[in-house]
Amino acid sequence: MAESRCNNSTSAAIDSSVEYARGAFKKVYKGKYTEGSRTGQPCVSKVFISGSVFENSYFQHEMDVVKKATEIVRAFNGLELINKRIVINQPEIWVFRDSQALTLIEPLIENFEKFNSNSGWTQDTTSWGQAMQALAHYSFHYSNGQLTLCDLQGGVYSDGIVLTDPVVMSTDRRFGPTDLGKDGIDSFFHHHVCNNFCRSSWTRPSRRMGLFPVVKGTTMMEVKTQTGRNLLTQRF
Ligand SMILES: [Zn+2]
């Protein structure tokens, strides 16, 4: 698909000795494809930090978010508001041969930058920054007010932009720990300023208020512990 940037490979060598980046619950390592049409090209390997409370659902949430983001980007590209392509990196779940641990593999993105966050931080001083704010606004309109695609980040190339690690916020909070729900959507639009790429016909939430501290990083929902329950390790 035109909106997808894929591994086109089944094998890579990952350098797990050096962390390339780290998020709140994942680590990123660099590597190179060793098979397929991308042989020799750089890739990244994302692994969840051991013991993370998100461990079990992490991969599935990532795949669900990317699938929904790709659908929204396809619709946005179809509007032809900009004359360059927006594509989304498509991660795949691969297995390390030695440890059998799972990892997400996707092509490396050059010239990485961030354009907005799920708490409403925005970079709209460049054309791409403005186009990304418009994409976020459009996602709400496209989904009939059910979703907002944000945390838009990636790399600008001569003929377009490649995005990775997006966040989808939903009214029913179905896209994992970075989905801040309706409060997140209303908060995002409290800070959104329409630009030349936005269309006046696009809908916005009727309630708009800042409910989260605005930060460039990705905000996650606190996971509530169930204090009434026994610990797994508790002895009787
Ligand atoms: Zn707008």
Side-chain angles (χ1 to χ4, degrees):
M1 290 183 293
E3 300 77 27
S4 299
R5 183 173 182 239
C6 302
N7 288 318
N8 299 328
S9 173
T10 56
S11 176
I14 306 299
D15 179 4
S16 299
S17 64
V18 182
E19 266 183 40
Y20 177 60
R22 178 185 272 257
F25 61 102
K26 64 185 165 191
K27 294 184 279 191
V28 185
Y29 299 99
K30 265 172 88 169
K32 280 188 176 169
Y33 295 105
T34 56
E35 184 276 339
S37 60
R38 288 192 185 275
T39 298
Q41 292 181 18
C43 63
V44 293
S45 160
K46 300 175 184 176
V47 296
F48 54 75
I49 294 168
S50 184
S52 161
V53 290
F54 309 118
E55 191 168 323
N56 294 334
S57 51
Y58 168 67
F59 290 110
Q60 194 51 53
H61 285 312
E62 289 266 315
M63 302 302 277
D64 290 348
V65 166
V66 168
K67 186 177 175 192
K68 181 54 74 176
T70 304
E71 175 194 323
I72 294 166
V73 163
R74 185 180 308 131
F76 186 81
N77 279 341
L79 298 177
E80 298 185 337
L81 297 175
I82 57 175
N83 59 4
K84 294 188 175 177
R85 282 198 312 158
I86 302 172
V87 301
I88 307 247
N89 250 3
Q90 303 288 319
E92 290 175 316
I93 302 172
W94 287 17
V95 180
F96 283 104
R97 285 199 188 103
D98 47 0
S99 66
Q100 297 295 303
L102 298 177
T103 178
L104 287 175
I105 300 285
E106 63 181 62
L108 179 83
I109 291 176
E110 292 167 28
N111 303 316
F112 201 86
E113 58 183 307
K114 190 155 183 174
F115 301 98
N116 61 32
S117 75
N118 59 346
S119 60
W121 174 87
T122 58
Q123 184 278 85
D124 52 10
T125 55
T126 63
S127 293
W128 272 120
Q130 291 174 15
M132 293 298 101
Q133 309 321 321
L135 170 58
H137 184 173
Y138 173 72
S139 68
F140 180 86
H141 177 75
Y142 169 81
S143 65
N144 295 315
Q146 300 302 302
L147 308 172
T148 296
L149 170 64
C150 55
D151 234 47
L152 298 172
Q153 54 200 314
V156 174
Y157 291 72
S158 57
D159 55 345
I161 192 166
V162 181
L163 301 177
T164 186
D165 275 343
V167 165
V168 175
M169 299 195 287
S170 60
T171 52
D172 53 357
R173 287 207 61 229
R174 66 179 186 274
F175 288 102
T178 57
D179 178 349
L180 304 179
K182 187 169 187 320
D183 283 353
I185 293 173
D186 293 350
S187 209
F188 185 89
F189 275 90
H190 175 71
H191 300 287
H192 174 77
V193 178
C194 283
N195 60 57
N196 289 336
F197 295 106
C198 296
R199 291 292 170 263
S200 56
S201 59
W202 293 349
T203 54
R204 298 158 64 100
S206 51
R207 180 188 78 152
R208 297 190 291 275
M209 53 173 66
L211 297 163
F212 297 89
V214 176
V215 291
K216 184 178 180 181
T218 309
T219 300
M220 280 185 286
M221 291 298 274
E222 209 173 303
V223 176
K224 292 186 175 60
T225 49
Q226 294 176 306
T227 49
R229 305 223 175 153
N230 293 325
L231 293 171
L232 266 175
T233 51
Q234 194 163 349
R235 295 177 186 198
F236 297 95

